[in-house]
Amino acid sequence: MAETYAGGVPLAEVVRSGFVEGSHRGSVVALDATGSVVAGAGDVTGPVFPRSASKPLQAVGMLRAGLRLTDPADLALVTASHAGEDRHLSRVEALLRGAGLDESALHCPPELPFGAAARAAVLRAGGGPSRIQMNCSGKHTGMVLTCLAAGWPTAGYWRPEHPLQQVLRDTVEEFTGEPTTATGVDGCGAPVLACSLTGLARAYLRLVAGTPDSPEQAVVDAVRAHPDLVGGTGAEDTGLMLALPGAVAKIGAEGVLAAVVPGVGAAAVKIDDGASRPRLGVLVSALRRLGVSTPTLSDLVEVPLLGGGVPVGAVRPLW
């Protein structure tokens, strides 16, 4: 793996009324089922922060450390960047309450819901930010419950030197096949570990290659059964998994998206300016290079642009 990320190439263009008014640069890689690179653009070997695209891997690490959840829906929520809808918040609250805890046990910052509709509903009701509403509250709840199960202190569970984070780091490195070249603080306050896009796609391939009783298979089964809990209304990863049953997908902040189709391959995208709007179309283009093409996926390629409240253009992939 290279020591630094060199940056990407033009991957998508912004077309309004037939005029190209902008573009997005980034990097993308597609691996076949054996892990061989089928296609790529930009820098696919330099380190990037996968951000929340690492959550399914972290969930595997939590299960390995002793986390036990009776309902697979709760495990799906541990992998989530949820929209803060009632179905998400009620599960986080129930998990904390079952352990005799409340949201004060979570280190993630108080925020309004990530989803636009849920955020508007909170504001209309006169509500404000809370830790449970933060889109990573499922992951943080899983981390706290893992510490309780393993007999580790919950104090400082988010610090890189905590035993929990050491296990999660080992798990991420195992699945990506790469050493961590940088450790940062994610938006939720937990560590984020740098890897290459190739390593991230490779990790997703390994995620769906587990034995039937393995932690990784438990995560995959939970995510597939409950894609609505992984994201929510309008979320790209939820939409992709609904459009392509059997796939596993996860967004990450700053323009990251990764997905795997068992038996076919995996892909990972990083948009350099951090924009979210081009990443799904670029990833669908990567899946097409792996031979995955369905009418439902075609609907996800372009993001409409509005003018006067009506479509006048689109953000569309170039690659």
Side-chain angles (χ1 to χ4, degrees):
M1 184 172 63
E3 293 184 0
T4 59
Y5 176 63
V9 298
L11 290 182
E13 62 182 5
V14 184
V15 182
R16 181 179 297 276
S17 304
F19 179 82
V20 178
E21 66 171 347
S23 64
H24 294 281
R25 300 175 66 89
S27 301
V28 55
V29 67
L31 308 182
D32 66 18
T34 71
S36 297
V37 175
V38 172
D43 182 2
V44 301
T45 61
V48 299
F49 281 143
R51 305 295 295 271
S52 288
S54 296
K55 285 178 177 174
L57 311 179
Q58 293 173 313
V60 171
M62 292 183 221
L63 292 177
R64 287 179 172 181
L67 177 64
R68 295 294 179 266
L69 299 171
T70 57
D71 191 337
D74 292 330
L75 182 56
L77 192 65
V78 170
T79 76
S81 298
H82 64 70
E85 297 164 340
D86 288 343
R87 54 185 161 176
H88 304 123
L89 305 186
S90 61
R91 284 194 172 274
V92 175
E93 290 172 339
L95 284 171
L96 289 171
R97 187 169 57 250
L101 303 171
D102 58 28
E103 70 170 34
S104 65
L106 306 181
H107 180 65
C108 55
E111 289 188 4
L112 290 168
F114 182 64
R119 182 169 59 249
V122 169
L123 294 175
R124 281 197 305 270
S130 72
R131 295 184 189 277
I132 286 180
Q133 291 174 160
M134 200 273 168
N135 73 90
C136 297
S137 64
K139 178 183 78 173
H140 278 258
T141 298
M143 288 180 172
V144 171
L145 296 183
T146 302
C147 290
L148 295 177
W152 295 326
T154 58
Y157 71 85
W158 60 89
R159 301 189 186 281
E161 64 272 15
H162 191 282
L164 168 68
Q165 299 303 334
Q166 292 295 309
V167 168
L168 302 191
R169 179 188 180 114
D170 290 345
T171 303
V172 170
E173 290 183 340
E174 174 191 337
F175 276 71
T176 62
E178 298 175 352
T180 298
T181 57
T183 301
V185 180
D186 212 334
C188 65
V192 59
L193 311 175
C195 68
S196 71
L197 287 176
T198 300
L200 181 60
R202 183 188 303 120
Y204 272 60
L205 282 175
R206 291 176 175 172
L207 188 66
V208 298
T211 57
D213 58 348
S214 65
E216 49 265 46
Q217 189 61 50
V219 171
V220 167
D221 289 345
V223 167
R224 284 174 175 159
H226 303 281
D228 58 314
L229 296 178
V230 175
T233 305
E236 296 140 288
D237 40 20
T238 295
L240 181 57
M241 288 189 283
L242 291 174
L244 194 61
V248 173
K250 186 70 192 69
I251 62 168
E254 295 299 320
V256 176
L257 178 60
V260 59
V261 180
V264 177
V269 176
K270 162 68 179 174
I271 304 300
D272 288 354
D273 63 8
S276 60
R277 61 184 185 177
R279 63 187 171 187
L280 182 55
V282 174
L283 186 125
V284 170
S285 295
L287 293 178
R288 284 176 167 173
R289 291 174 184 245
L290 294 171
V292 180
S293 183
T294 68
T296 52
L297 278 184
S298 298
D299 294 337
L300 304 178
V301 173
E302 296 188 357
V303 177
L305 291 180
L306 302 182
V310 298
V312 296
V315 180
R316 62 192 186 195
L318 291 168
W319 184 78

